């Protein structure tokens, strides 16, 4: 019988140096077995995360719209499972400790050997990408590649509106870990204080009902008392 395997890790590369990103990082990492998406800053990353979940983030510090330390801290608040590797010219001991305290799993100073980058990401992927059993015939709940539909174990596709996609992207990125209501609301609106929390509850309720009706199976999305919601898939 075949042993367990791991799917191809999804990797977001956040680097504003276009030449370094497009000509070095992306081709090398794609060739090394990662499903890689490149972006120039924090805004592109956050927008992309509303459509798909990433296992790993390779993150520059000196970005034009938000510094990498702040991004790392934000990502770590969203998920304990996402792997974060900081790649930066800030190589002092204090900068390294700042990155690690922000939530980074590894801190690599530039200029860097690409073999070291690839090895670091592969080692981290062993911890953040779950094993899959090739003999298992029944699929699990999951998002499609674009993050626009929920795929039920039966194969039924459940289409989502924009708000549902935004919420599910964050929950999927933190699968198995409760996500705070405030964090989910902040993804939906600019000013969380203008948002009635009951609207989030209704959104989740309707999404679960839609999955039950179309797929005839219960979406493994649960409320966590006093915290928020957790997606167990």
């Amino acid at each position: 019988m075949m042993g367990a395997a791991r799917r191809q890790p999804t990797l977001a590369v956040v680097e504003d140096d276009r030449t370094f990103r497009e000509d070095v990082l992306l081709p090398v990492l794609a060739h090394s077995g990662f499903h890689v998406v490149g972006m120039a800053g924090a805004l592109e990353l956050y927008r992309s995360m509303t459509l798909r979940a990433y296992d790993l983030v390779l993150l520059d510090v000196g970005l034009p719209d938000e510094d990498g330390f702040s991004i790392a801290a934000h990502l770590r608040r969203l998920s304990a499972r996402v792997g974060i590797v900081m790649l930066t010219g800030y190589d002092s001991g204090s900068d390294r400790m700042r990155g690690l305290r922000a939530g980074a799993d590894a801190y690599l100073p530039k200029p860097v050997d690409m073999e070291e980058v690839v090895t670091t990401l592969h080692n981290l992927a062993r911890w953040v990408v779950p094993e899959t059993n090739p003999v298992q015939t029944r699929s699990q709940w999951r998002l499609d590649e674009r993050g626009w539909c929920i795929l039920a174990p039966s194969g039924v596709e459940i289409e989502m509106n924009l708000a549902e996609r935004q919420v599910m992207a964050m929950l999927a990125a933190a699968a198995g870990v409760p996500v705070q209501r405030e964090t989910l609301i902040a993804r939906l609106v600019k000013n969380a204080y203008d948002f009635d929390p009951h609207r989030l509850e209704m959104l989740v309720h309707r999404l679960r009902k839609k999955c039950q009706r179309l797929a005839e199976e219960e979406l493994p999305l649960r409320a966590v008392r006093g915290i928020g919601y957790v997606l167990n898939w």
Side-chain angles (χ1 to χ4, degrees), residues 64-204:
D65 51 356
E66 184 179 350
D67 72 78
F69 299 117
S70 174
I71 297 172
H74 179 64
L75 294 176
R76 184 56 69 216
R77 286 193 297 269
L78 293 179
S79 172
R81 293 180 56 179
V82 64
I84 304 172
V85 175
M86 303 191 79
L87 183 62
T88 174
Y90 299 90
D91 60 352
S92 70
S94 60
D95 287 322
R96 181 176 181 274
M97 289 307 302
R98 184 183 175 191
L100 296 176
R101 290 193 183 105
D105 297 286
Y107 191 96
L108 304 179
K110 295 178 182 177
V112 69
D113 184 346
M114 282 305 299
E115 183 177 357
E116 182 180 5
V117 176
V118 170
T119 300
T120 299
L121 289 167
H122 273 305
N123 287 342
L124 190 54
R126 292 168 53 194
W127 296 99
V128 301
V129 180
E131 291 184 341
T132 57
N133 190 340
V135 302
Q136 185 176 354
T137 58
R138 185 173 176 79
S139 300
Q140 302 297 317
W141 287 94
R142 65 191 189 281
L143 299 180
D144 69 356
E145 291 186 358
R146 298 176 302 172
W148 290 6
C149 296
I150 298 173
L151 304 180
S154 62
V156 173
E157 293 188 6
I158 298 100
E159 293 186 6
M160 295 183 287
N161 60 35
L162 177 59
E164 291 168 344
R165 294 201 303 267
Q166 291 173 325
V167 168
M168 282 298 295
M170 297 190 70
L171 291 169
V177 179
V179 179
Q180 294 183 344
R181 287 181 176 84
E182 294 78 7
T183 301
L184 294 171
I185 291 173
R187 178 57 60 193
L188 294 171
V189 294
K190 291 183 178 180
N191 189 346
Y193 296 103
D194 293 337
F195 187 89
D196 184 351
H198 291 97
R199 289 175 57 190
L200 176 62
E201 296 176 12
M202 185 56 65
L203 183 153
V204 171

Side-chain angles (χ1 to χ4, degrees), residues 47-66:
R47 284 176 175 171
S48 183
M49 288 174 62
T50 67
L51 302 177
R52 70 185 73 196
Y54 291 103
D55 301 308
L56 304 161
V57 178
L58 182 63
L59 180 63
D60 188 20
V61 169
L63 296 169
D65 51 356
E66 184 179 350

